Structures are given as C-alpha cells and as structure tokens.
Amino acid sequence: TKALFERHKPTHVIHLAAMVGGLFKNIRYNLDFWRRNVHINDNVLHSAYETGVQKVVSCLSTCIFPDKTTYPIDETMIHNGPPHSSNFGYSYAKRMIDVQNRGYFEQHGCRFTAVIPTNVFGPHDNFNIEDGHVLPGLIHKVYLAKQTGSALTIWGTGKPRRQFIYSLDLARLFLWVLREYDEVEPIILSVGEEDEVSIREAAEAIVEAMDFRGELVFDTTKADGQFKKTASNAKLRLYLPDFQFTPFRQAVKETCAWFSTNYADARK
C-alpha cells in the first residue's frame, strides 16, 4: 500500500478496498473479515497520512450499526451498542475507520471522512449467488431460473426490508463528498425511509424486469439476517435537498439489462 501511494502520490483518495461478502460468507468467516479489513484500513489511512493526502473518503456500511437500536438510524448512533452477531468481524473493523478518522484529525489535522451507503447495486456488481449481496444474487438467480425453466428459490422469508441505492447515484454523491463535504463525522448516503423495500418486493421488481414467468419459492429454512436497518438521510438532505435518486424499478431494469448483456464477463 505504501509503495502504491509513493508511486502515484494521490491528493485525494476514495477508499473502497475491503474484504466483503453476503450474509452467509460473513457468518462463516468473522475473524477473517475483522483481520483483513483492519489491516487494509490501517494501511490505506496511514499511507495517506504519510504521503500528505489532502482528503480521504472511506466507505462504511449500514450493517455496522447496533443490532438493538431505534429507527431510523442516524450518523450519531454508530458506536451505541454491538452490531448484529452475523457479521461482527466486518462491522467492528469498519467502525474503526470512524475512530481512526477522528484520531488523524485531532492529532494531525487530516481531512479524512467516511460515507455510509445503504445496499448498493448496479452494473459491474458481484453477482455471485453464494458470496454476493442480496440484489445482484437475486438477479443472477432469476437469470438462471429463466434459462433452465425452473422455479425461483429465494433464501429466507422475503420479509426483511432494505434501502437500496443505485451505484450510479452513489458515484455522484461520492464526488460531492470529495469536493464539498468538510466534516470528519460520517454521512449516510441513502434514499429516504419511505423508499425502503422488502426482499420480496425487490425480487418481484427483478422478475418483472427480466420477464420471468416461473414460480417464486421462499426457502424459510435459510436465515433472514437483520429484519431491517432503516437509515435516515436527513443529514444528506440538509446539504442536498434537491438531489434526484434514480427510481428503484428503473435502476433494477438497467442493472438486469447490463447483466443479461454482459453475462459472460460479469463477476459471478
């Protein structure tokens, strides 16, 4: 990491490097998620400090928030209790970025901050069914079910609720944070609470976008994970009251079209 920073001498850094995975991969490898992410984050932030980077924007996740909490969750609540047990390794490692950002600011005056996106999806995602996140995993499942003429099996009850953000919207917001947002405290990047959808509704949007005519089956022997982690985007709206998010069904349609067109080369 140090060699990379010394070679390129960046002035601004968007830090997205992480060991990531869906619910079932997290449950199996909590220690690995903790160790690898702590090492990655310390390497990136300390190299940024040592090479005089002006601004670092790191990426946290809504799954790092306390499991037992009131809703909606906001930026002040990150450290208010233990995260969900299914991904405690990843969650604590990500929380430490916020701790380090404050440390680098207080001790060295560094402008290191973090954003907290909700569930990101879009073209070029990881569509792996075992390790990917829920939406790209479902898109791949629908694609395969359509090809083979079989039923679509969805893990869990379909009842958990999520706020999804289209990767292209998130990219625009990242650039705004890099250029305009001056706080060290993190900011949640998300659609509003009213745009939360259930896993079942997300699956139905994909089924519609891909014109799947088969049966939908919910495998309730599989874990659901957290029921919801509703985040408030009030702070974002204070800064950007007029930001337009891509409507969910349109974003799903564009992502499904990309996956179908690029199936051979997509990460899966």
Side-chain angles (χ1 to χ4, degrees), residues 60-88:
L60 309 185
S61 160
T62 47
C63 69
I64 73 170
F65 281 102
D67 182 36
K68 308 240 180 320
T69 186
T70 53
Y71 295 100
I73 298 161
D74 67 38
E75 293 83 355
T76 66
M77 296 156 73
I78 293 174
H79 303 285
N80 286 2
H84 193 265
S85 60
S86 64
N87 62 352
F88 70 88

Side-chain angles (χ1 to χ4, degrees), residues 152-159 199-200 203 216-221:
L152 169 66
T153 303
I154 295 163
W155 290 347
T157 63
K159 290 174 182 167
I199 302 302
R200 177 187 280 275
L216 248 72
V217 180
F218 290 89
D219 179 358
T220 55
T221 65

Side-chain angles (χ1 to χ4, degrees), residues 211-233:
D211 196 27
F212 174 71
R213 307 282 172 91
E215 188 190 356
L216 248 72
V217 180
F218 290 89
D219 179 358
T220 55
T221 65
K222 293 280 198 289
D224 268 340
Q226 275 175 289
F227 174 67
K228 66 174 190 169
K229 30 190 181 177
T230 318
S232 165
N233 71 351

Side-chain angles (χ1 to χ4, degrees), residues 111-153:
R111 282 281 167 208
F112 297 171
T113 191
V115 299
I116 309 170
T118 44
N119 289 51
V120 192
F121 72 98
H124 303 278
D125 206 338
N126 175 11
F127 293 86
N128 185 292
I129 290 168
E130 297 291 326
D131 294 342
H133 284 104
V134 60
L135 212 94
L138 282 174
I139 290 172
H140 193 175
K141 276 187 169 180
V142 174
Y143 180 91
L144 294 176
K146 196 176 168 184
Q147 296 290 319
T148 57
S150 52
L152 169 66
T153 303

